[in-house]
Amino acid sequence: MTSAPAELPRKAGDLRAAGYLPRSIKAEIRDNLLEQLRAGRDPWPGIVGFTRTVIPQLERALLAGHDVVLLGERGQGKTRLLRTLVGLLDEWTPVIEGAELPEHPLDPITPASIRRAAELGDDLPVAWLHRSLRYAEKLATPDTSVGDLIGDVDPVKVAEGRSLGDPETIHFGLVPRSHRGIVAINELPDLAERIQVALLNVMEERDIQVRGYTLRLPLDVLLVATANPEDYTNRGRIITPLKDRFGAEVRTHYPLDIDAEVDVIRQEAEFTAEVGEPLLEVLARFVRHLRESTSIDQRSGVSARFAVAAAETIAAAALRRSAITGEEPAVARPVDLEAVPAVLRGKLEFEPGEEGREIELLEYLLRRSVADTARERFAGLDLTPLAHAVANGNLVTTGERVPGRDVLAALPELPVLHDVAARAGVEPDDSSGRIAAAIELALEMLYLSKRVAKDADEDTTVYGA
């Protein structure tokens, strides 16, 4: 992070003269959001699939100045969405230099800062805080204490001679230290109910109570949180008074269409090899089939992280195959999909009674996804010449030890192969691996439609009569 620009005011008097008047965090976010909307800029970079659903609701809540809880299953991008709120803050904001809390130089709130402001007046030193430091995130866990969030008596300060009733004996927690910023609490229902109670005054009366002492601090924070719907009844719940203090509850969801699912995978995955669009569509459909399956515990959900991990897994399988065969570049082919069920089975929660059938179920849904993608890609394309070529003795062998050039060499020159490659987004002069990936997808479609046979073992798959 770069340091604050040198031309920014460094004393309270200069700050006042430059017009840097105090503004609440919610007013700041409202003004910046409206500015971006009027300019036609996207305030939510990297957020996919929420444009017409979640985003309008969240924007209305922020414009209304509401604290917000995002409610949705795991892996729906709730935390990522909250982190983009940082982009709605001013890049730099003035604070009292050396103060324990990030107080505005023209609006101090702690006794120590109020005294300094009175003594120094316009000479009160000013520092500048970058917006990245005004967002605090806390994962709610059962062992989270009131001291973590609100604060506690500092025994060192007491030992120095201060009395317990002195507000300056308090060591502030996360929420007061986020004054004039955003506090995000992930998995809010996991907070013990007595800890949730400690947030009530912060959200409504804007004061804090520590060890029976009330410290009146006009805290200025935007409190946002995430929760899983099941948390209301299983691991914990959001207590009713706290729910009432959130001005808005916004429901999130998984991507609503295949294109959005593919966009999420493409954006989030870190590929070690090339993965073409058709295989990403297969994975997107696979995840959607899992979310519709009665054999999967839908209360837990099927996270978008599953699809991302699946894409990274087939990329890794392609990279391994490339090392074994010496074929470059490393390009994922349908044969690499075989690695997905075994590797990622543990990321899913299955319904009772499915024990022992997990791999069988995943393989079945993966085959359906391949068939759906192939039908979509090759709709209206006559694959009969390819089926006849394979059925008449041109056996095609594929597997993790078979390079793409061997797949192509097993087939005669057929015009339909160029059409297959084009439908898969492959150019005629592309690598043999990319062309082989398209042909394997077509062969798998022919097999699933029972137009060709398939014989598979641990190392190879043979398409033929």
Side-chain angles (χ1 to χ4, degrees), residues 350-371:
F350 291 84
E351 289 287 357
E354 296 297 333
E355 186 176 353
R357 297 183 57 249
E358 296 94 341
I359 293 295
E360 179 185 348
L361 172 68
L362 295 179
E363 289 176 343
Y364 165 70
L365 294 179
L366 190 55
R367 286 195 299 272
R368 278 187 58 188
S369 305
V370 171

Side-chain angles (χ1 to χ4, degrees), residues 3-11 14-15 20 92-93 126 128-129:
S3 58
E7 65 272 14
L8 291 174
R10 299 295 169 173
K11 292 187 177 181
D14 298 333
L15 192 71
Y20 283 92
W92 297 97
T93 195
V126 173
W128 291 85
L129 194 66

Side-chain angles (χ1 to χ4, degrees), residues 135-457:
Y135 175 87
E137 191 172 287
K138 172 66 177 173
L139 175 62
T141 54
D143 62 343
T144 300
S145 68
V146 173
D148 295 333
L149 291 179
I150 307 302
D152 205 345
V153 172
D154 188 338
V156 175
K157 294 179 179 179
V158 174
E160 291 174 348
R162 293 188 176 95
S163 67
L164 285 176
D166 187 343
E168 294 184 38
T169 63
I170 293 176
H171 173 77
F172 292 109
L174 178 69
V175 175
R177 290 184 181 278
S178 300
H179 176 55
R180 300 174 61 225
I182 301 169
V183 178
I185 302 178
N186 277 320
E187 308 300 340
L188 180 60
D190 281 354
L191 279 184
E193 293 186 9
R194 64 183 182 84
I195 310 302
Q196 294 184 39
V197 169
L199 294 173
L200 298 180
N201 272 34
V202 172
M203 295 185 67
E204 191 70 26
E205 288 78 18
R206 302 295 171 177
D207 63 34
I208 60 175
Q209 296 182 4
V210 177
R211 299 283 183 181
Y213 298 101
T214 297
L215 178 60
R216 297 289 177 182
L217 290 180
L219 290 177
D220 181 22
V221 296
L222 173 68
L223 186 63
V224 291
T226 69
N228 186 304
E230 285 303 305
D231 292 341
Y232 283 98
T233 55
N234 286 354
R235 296 200 306 256
R237 68 185 186 94
I238 301 178
I239 60 174
T240 302
L242 187 59
K243 284 180 65 179
D244 183 57
R245 280 165 168 77
F246 280 101
E249 179 180 283
V250 178
R251 289 297 299 256
T252 59
H253 56 77
Y254 293 117
L256 300 178
D257 55 56
I258 296 297
D259 290 342
E261 195 86 58
V262 169
D263 288 343
V264 171
I265 298 172
R266 180 71 74 186
Q267 174 179 282
E268 300 298 320
E270 296 182 5
F271 295 114
T272 54
E274 180 182 326
V275 182
E277 204 74 9
L279 289 189
L280 295 183
E281 290 179 18
V282 169
L283 295 178
R285 287 185 167 87
F286 182 39
V287 170
R288 294 176 75 82
H289 287 320
L290 288 170
R291 290 178 186 146
E292 296 168 357
S293 173
T294 56
S295 299
I296 303 296
D297 183 358
Q298 301 302 334
R299 294 168 300 179
S300 175
V302 180
S303 168
R305 300 185 191 95
F306 181 92
V308 171
E312 293 173 342
T313 296
I314 65 172
L319 185 63
R320 179 177 182 274
R321 180 168 44 75
S322 173
I324 293 172
T325 63
E327 184 177 42
E328 296 289 347
V331 179
R333 300 187 342 230
V335 66
D336 299 312
L337 291 168
E338 296 172 4
V340 171
V343 173
L344 299 180
R345 172 179 57 180
K347 293 180 72 68
L348 298 170
E349 299 289 338
F350 291 84
E351 289 287 357
E354 296 297 333
E355 186 176 353
R357 297 183 57 249
E358 296 94 341
I359 293 295
E360 179 185 348
L361 172 68
L362 295 179
E363 289 176 343
Y364 165 70
L365 294 179
L366 190 55
R367 286 195 299 272
R368 278 187 58 188
S369 305
V370 171
D372 292 345
T373 301
R375 277 195 293 268
E376 178 76 19
R377 284 277 170 173
F378 305 132
L381 189 61
D382 184 8
L383 297 178
T384 302
L386 177 59
H388 285 166
V390 174
N392 291 331
N394 296 104
L395 301 181
V396 178
T397 302
T398 185
E400 68 173 7
R401 297 183 179 274
V402 180
R405 60 180 175 272
D406 290 357
V407 174
L408 301 184
L411 291 167
E413 179 65 31
L414 298 170
V416 70
L417 297 182
H418 299 287
D419 297 332
V420 166
R423 290 290 186 91
V426 179
E427 299 294 333
D429 57 348
D430 272 344
S431 68
S432 59
R434 296 189 184 101
I435 300 173
I439 293 173
E440 281 185 22
L441 186 62
L443 289 171
E444 191 64 16
M445 176 181 172
L446 292 174
Y447 160 69
L448 293 172
S449 62
K450 304 187 186 308
R451 297 180 65 184
V452 300
K454 182 169 81 168
D455 182 22
D457 58 28

